[in-house]
Amino acid sequence: MLNYKQLHHFWNVARAGGIVRASERTGLAPQTLSGQIAALESALGITLFRRQGRRLALTETGQMVLGYAEEIFRLGSELEEALSNRSTGRATPFRVGIADVVPKAIAYLLLAPSMALADPLRIICREGKLDGLLGELAVHKLDVVLADSPMPTNADVRGYSHRLGESSLSFFAAPGLAATLNGAFPACLEGAPILLPGMEAAVRGPLMRWLETQRVRPRIVGEFDDSALMLAFGEAGVGLFPTASLLAEQICGKHGLQRLGEADEVTESFYAISVERRLTHPAVVAIGTATPKLEGKPASSEQQHRMTKRNAG
C-alpha cells in the first residue's frame, strides 16, 4: 500500500522547492527527507525529482503525484476541521471566491443551496479578479471559485470546471433615459449611451458581435469589471446596460429600472471551479446538484405594452 507518511514528506519538499528549505520548515534533517523520498520512489518504481542546477525539479510523473497529494492532504485537513467543528458545535467554514464580473444576485442564487444544508455553515466570500482567486484556490485558501467562464487553458493552476447554468442577456435603463430612446428594441440602441462589462468578462465578445449583427452602434460611455458598479451607474441614468435576464424582475422591481428588450442569442454562463475532479465538499456538492435553472423571464404583457407605447411615442 501507498505509504502516506512518505507521500507527505514528498509533498512538503515539492511545495518548499527543495530539501533544505523543507528541512527548515518541518524541523526534519535533510537526510531523513531524502531517505523518505528515495523510499517512496523505490516503492512506486518512479522518479519524482530531477536535478536542475542546484535545485530539485519535479519530473512529469512527480507533477502528477503532487496533484494527487495536494488533493489527499487538503481532504485530510478538511476532515480534521469538520470533525473539530462537529465536536464543538461550530459552523464549518465555506470559503468562496467570486469573480467580480459575476452579478452579485446571481452569486447569491448559486450559493443559496449550500446555505440550506443540515450542518451549520459559515460562508466566507472573497471577491476579485479570476486570476487572483485561482491562485488562492491553488493553495487551498478557497474551496471553490464562481466565474463566468471555465478554467483558463493557459492557467498555471490545477483546477476543474463544473458548469452550473446560463442566462440570456437583457438590456435595462433608468426611466428618464428610456424615455429618450427612439424606436423599438433593438433599433432603440442606435446612438444610445451604453455601459458594458469589462474586457475580461466572457460575455463581452459575444455581446459586441450581437450588436454588429443587429446593425446598431450605441455610444459606449463606460466599461466595468465590477457588475455591481455598472448597475449603480445604470441606476443613476448614465447609460443603459446589459445583464442576465434572470435578474429582470429584481432589477425592475428593486432598482426601478425598465427592461428594453432581450438579446436571447447572447448567453452568459456560470461555473464553479474547484481543485477536485469530483466535487466532495458538501457545500460545493449542494451548489452543483441543486443549482436553480438559470433562465431569464420575459417581460409581462403589461411591461411589454408600456415599453412598445413609450418607444413608439
Side-chain angles (χ1 to χ4, degrees):
M1 293 181 62
L2 181 64
N3 187 312
Y4 287 96
K5 184 176 181 180
Q6 293 172 351
L7 183 66
H8 193 262
H9 290 314
F10 157 75
W11 179 60
N12 280 326
V13 171
R15 290 197 306 162
I19 288 178
V20 173
R21 189 173 297 174
S23 173
E24 294 171 349
R25 293 182 180 181
T26 63
L28 297 174
Q31 296 84 349
T32 300
L33 292 174
S34 297
Q36 290 291 306
I37 291 174
L40 179 63
E41 290 178 324
S42 177
L44 298 178
I46 58 175
T47 300
L48 296 169
F49 292 101
R50 56 181 170 79
R51 279 286 174 188
Q52 193 174 67
R54 295 184 178 181
R55 295 177 56 84
L56 286 178
L58 287 167
T59 62
E60 185 175 343
T61 303
Q63 290 280 6
M64 180 191 70
V65 173
L66 177 60
Y68 279 100
E70 287 179 338
E71 194 164 333
I72 288 169
F73 296 120
R74 182 188 62 78
L75 288 173
S77 177
E78 280 187 9
L79 174 59
E80 290 181 352
E81 187 174 18
L83 291 174
S84 174
N85 288 335
R86 181 179 290 271
S87 63
T88 59
R90 291 180 300 174
T92 301
F94 177 38
R95 298 154 299 202
V96 184
I98 303 173
D100 49 17
V101 295
V102 176
K104 306 304 177 287
I106 290 288
Y108 170 75
L109 288 176
L110 296 176
L111 292 172
S114 68
M115 304 302 294
L117 294 175
D119 292 332
L121 194 72
R122 184 177 81 253
I123 189 167
I124 303 169
C125 292
R126 299 280 186 265
E127 185 184 10
K129 300 293 183 186
L130 181 57
D131 289 347
L133 295 175
L134 291 178
E136 292 192 50
L137 181 70
V139 295
H140 310 299
K141 290 183 178 179
L142 296 173
D143 297 307
V144 69
V145 171
L146 300 183
D148 67 337
S149 61
M151 185 78 183
T153 55
N154 61 345
D156 295 331
V157 178
R158 181 190 181 95
Y160 302 90
S161 303
H162 312 273
R163 190 173 178 277
L164 300 177
E166 66 179 25
S167 173
S168 62
L169 287 190
S170 287
F171 287 79
F172 299 86
L177 174 59
T180 67
L181 304 180
N182 298 314
F185 181 84
C188 64
L189 302 180
E190 177 65 31
I194 190 172
L195 311 173
L196 292 176
M199 297 299 293
E200 293 185 4
V203 76
R204 173 66 180 258
L207 177 60
M208 299 304 292
R209 290 191 290 272
W210 180 83
L211 291 172
E212 289 181 8
T213 61
Q214 301 302 312
R215 298 174 183 259
V216 291
R217 292 171 297 176
R219 179 168 49 90
I220 301 174
V221 296
E223 301 181 43
F224 301 86
D225 291 333
D226 189 319
S227 59
L229 187 58
M230 183 171 69
L231 172 60
F233 273 70
E235 191 174 0
V238 175
L240 58 90
F241 64 96
T243 195
S245 299
L246 177 66
L247 304 177
E249 185 175 341
Q250 175 181 340
I251 288 177
C252 294
K254 181 178 179 181
H255 298 279
L257 300 175
Q258 293 184 4
R259 185 178 185 179
L260 304 175
E262 182 179 18
D264 52 11
E265 300 94 336
V266 184
T267 58
E268 186 172 18
S269 297
F270 303 98
Y271 296 83
I273 301 176
S274 72
V275 294
E276 304 168 314
R277 290 186 181 86
R278 292 178 297 176
L279 301 179
T280 59
H281 191 293
V284 183
V285 171
I287 292 172
T289 58
T291 296
K293 191 175 183 181
L294 297 180
E295 290 183 347
K297 296 180 180 179
S300 66
S301 58
E302 182 180 356
Q303 288 173 320
Q304 290 176 341
H305 175 71
R306 289 201 304 267
M307 184 165 52
T308 302
K309 182 178 180 180
R310 182 186 68 249
N311 289 337

